[in-house]
Amino acid sequence: MIPHRPRRLRSSPMIRELVQENHLRASDFIAPLFLQSQEGSTPIASMPGQSRLGPKALLAEVRELRDLGVKTIALFPAIEESKKNPQASEAWNPNNLNFSAVKSIKDSFSDVLVMGDIALDPYSSDGHDGIVDPKSGEILNDETLEALIKQSLASAKAGFDILGPSDMMDGRIGVIREALEESQFKNTLIMSYSAKYASGFYGPFRDALESAPKKGDKKTYQMNPANGAEAIREALLDEAEGADILMVKPGLPYLDIVYRLKSQTTLPIAVYNVSGEYAMVKAASERGWIDGEKVMMESLMSFKRAGADIILTYFAKEAARLLSR
Ligand code: PBG
């Protein structure tokens, strides 16, 4: 019998390149950026290499990303505590930090797409994605939808190309899509955070925005990490309600969900390589316990292999720089 020798396909760099199944490109990445109202920038302790950016620093960062081929960014504003209230009304103030930022990016760059998060947490004095019933503490679904519609229309008006509802309220994609259609925002994309888990991996993000819930947790709206089928149900509902792109979040611990979703939809799939995943790689690499660059590229490739088309990642700039060498 002739022996099977799969190693033949790995025997030189040239043959390995020839048979490589998946590839990473800078244009696969969406870079999440944190905003602050003051000029300058403030490093985020639990996310080495990431900072909250003031207005000028933001434009410089966008230019650098764009020049490296990362042409989509997602904005996350750090809102002053004095502007937060239980209704999160700052979320649709036409002059808020988020909307000024997207306007200045759109004025400066014609070749950059900007995504805006749709959820109330950065603006809510309760630190929840939805409106909290002051008596029971319940996160009120349908009351929150009204707020999300206002936030979405104001976001589309301010110039966001992509809306990313990250709140996990029931029915939000349908009502947002309907409101966009009625207001003639026919080309505004919706990238739904379809399968968003109640995860411990969001810790550094909540530090960055000081947006952690004041009371309780997010388990009545974000998903139970023990569930898989439910993620597919959530994603297919979002597809039926009019989402253009479906997202799975976090990334690395949920690659099975990306893979399962790929076989269930023809829509593009995005994955969010979240703050805690970034922090773990940075921390271990700072201690010399792992090779940070290698682990970064291997993690990003695993998303493509699992079936993701788009990767939201704090590694966007670093990875794009490596890819361009
Ligand atoms: C807000 C939102 C969160 C993230 C993105 N949008 C935090 C949360 O739901 O508590 C997390 C991103 C990250 O950890 O990198 N709705």
Side-chain angles (χ1 to χ4, degrees), residues 117 121 129 166 196 202 205-206 218 222 249 275 314:
D117 214 57
D121 50 327
D129 294 26
S166 71
K196 176 169 177 181
Y202 308 146
F205 175 98
R206 294 178 189 171
K218 298 193 176 185
Q222 299 180 349
K249 175 183 176 190
S275 57
Y314 303 97

Side-chain angles (χ1 to χ4, degrees), residues 164-290:
S166 71
D167 55 284
M168 289 299 279
M169 296 299 120
D170 290 336
R172 76 235 207 259
I173 302 302
V175 297
I176 292 171
R177 175 59 78 204
E178 197 173 57
L180 290 173
E181 284 285 324
E182 275 169 13
S183 303
Q184 304 302 319
F185 293 115
K186 298 200 168 148
N187 290 325
T188 303
L189 289 152
I190 299 179
M191 180 188 299
S192 176
Y193 287 64
S194 297
K196 176 169 177 181
Y197 285 87
S199 170
F201 287 90
Y202 308 146
F205 175 98
R206 294 178 189 171
D207 292 345
L209 297 189
E210 292 174 0
S211 64
K214 302 273 155 55
K215 260 198 230 137
D217 53 42
K218 298 193 176 185
K219 288 182 188 166
T220 67
Y221 46 109
Q222 299 180 349
M223 287 185 35
N224 180 349
N227 295 354
E230 190 183 3
I232 306 305
R233 176 164 183 238
E234 282 282 4
L236 296 183
L237 281 172
D238 289 354
E239 175 165 358
E241 289 177 28
D244 301 289
I245 300 170
L246 304 174
M247 189 207 293
V248 174
K249 175 183 176 190
L252 288 179
Y254 298 90
L255 287 178
D256 58 321
I257 306 301
V258 176
Y259 184 74
R260 275 168 84 162
L261 187 54
K262 187 70 185 169
S263 67
Q264 301 282 325
T265 184
T266 55
L267 290 184
I269 296 176
V271 64
Y272 201 142
N273 178 216
V274 301
S275 57
E277 300 172 53
Y278 177 84
M280 290 196 305
V281 175
K282 286 291 172 192
S285 138
E286 276 177 6
R287 292 187 172 204
W289 290 352
I290 58 171

